[in-house]
Amino acid sequence: GESVGLHLPTLSVQEGDNSIINCAYSNSASDYFIWYKQESGKGPQFIIDIRSNMDKRQGQRVTVLLNKTVKHLSLQIAATQPGDSAVYFCAERTSSGSARQLTFGSGTQLTVLP
Amino acid sequence: DVKVTQSSRYLVKRTGEKVFLECVQDMDHENMFWYRQDPGLGLRLIYFSYDVKMKEKGDIPEGYSVSREKKERFSLILESASTNQTSMYLCASSPHGRMNTEAFFGQGTRLTVV
């Protein structure tokens, strides 16, 4: 089946630096791409999404870039803080009638160094 | 504050037992999901439901069944638990809206089958 995956399983950055987390996807029929953050001991939490007809979307300290030509998604975190340490998942949404399915990638562990 | 509650945080069951994992959401969401999370594999969709009494197989439904008798409750059933079903199980819910991509997750149930 179709899959969503990540290039790097771990990423370490200095506090204050920018972080870039990458994701490759293969399902061209997905209508949205989403980033989730999972802190230790908690369920994933929504960060930001991007519709498939867009190539960039900005949130608070985060930017998501979508490159449909190479089927690549990235999450940029500006001025990374210790609270950003978590596992980050990309996900894609596919819709079939009323059913909307989210498929997740394998995750990247982000560690923020002091 | 939105809430998805899973009945147990930790569960230990014996091989061959029938196991019920319960999930309740208080947001009147139409969609509910069951995922399992394993190291290096991310979140894999087991089953989802987009309405009461409706269910759809996800990517790994074998060995599982689900029940959605009421809108707020989505149960995952392991008919005969096996050791390879030892995992973290995550329930999520989301509203129907076409523009909505945010799924709300419970805190997870860590199931150990011995």
Side-chain angles (χ1 to χ4, degrees), chain A residues 34-110:
Chain A
I34 311 110
W35 283 99
Y36 280 82
K37 172 186 179 183
Q38 185 178 26
E39 296 174 274
S40 182
K42 297 182 180 179
Q45 281 189 298
F46 175 92
I47 303 172
I48 190 169
D49 65 8
I50 186 167
R51 195 168 175 176
S52 59
N53 62 355
M54 299 171 65
D55 52 23
K56 181 178 180 179
R57 189 171 187 208
Q58 287 186 292
Q60 189 178 14
R61 277 201 311 120
V62 295
T63 301
V64 57
L65 299 177
L66 176 63
N67 185 331
K68 291 180 286 294
T69 303
V70 295
K71 295 183 179 176
H72 184 266
L73 185 70
S74 69
L75 177 71
Q76 300 178 4
I77 305 173
T80 312
Q81 302 169 0
D84 295 327
S85 290
V87 177
Y88 289 81
F89 294 96
C90 62
E92 54 183 338
R93 192 184 85 167
T94 53
S95 300
S96 176
S98 297
R100 304 190 197 285
Q101 178 175 339
L102 287 178
T103 302
F104 285 78
S106 54
T108 291
Q109 172 72 58
L110 174 66

Side-chain angles (χ1 to χ4, degrees), chain B residues 38-91:
Chain B
D38 301 288
L41 298 177
L43 279 71
R44 292 180 292 165
L45 182 64
I46 304 171
Y47 267 97
F48 67 103
S49 167
Y50 56 89
D51 203 348
V52 176
K53 296 192 186 294
M54 306 301 290
K55 60 184 179 184
E56 294 280 343
K57 292 181 180 179
D59 299 317
I60 51 165
E62 297 77 19
Y64 303 95
S65 62
V66 289
S67 173
R68 184 117 181 254
E69 295 297 317
K70 293 184 178 181
K71 192 175 186 180
E72 67 270 19
R73 187 180 295 270
F74 193 35
S75 304
L76 180 69
I77 303 152
L78 286 66
E79 298 291 343
S80 178
S82 63
T83 54
N84 63 12
Q85 292 178 310
T86 291
S87 187
M88 171 69 83
Y89 289 87
L90 288 163
C91 174

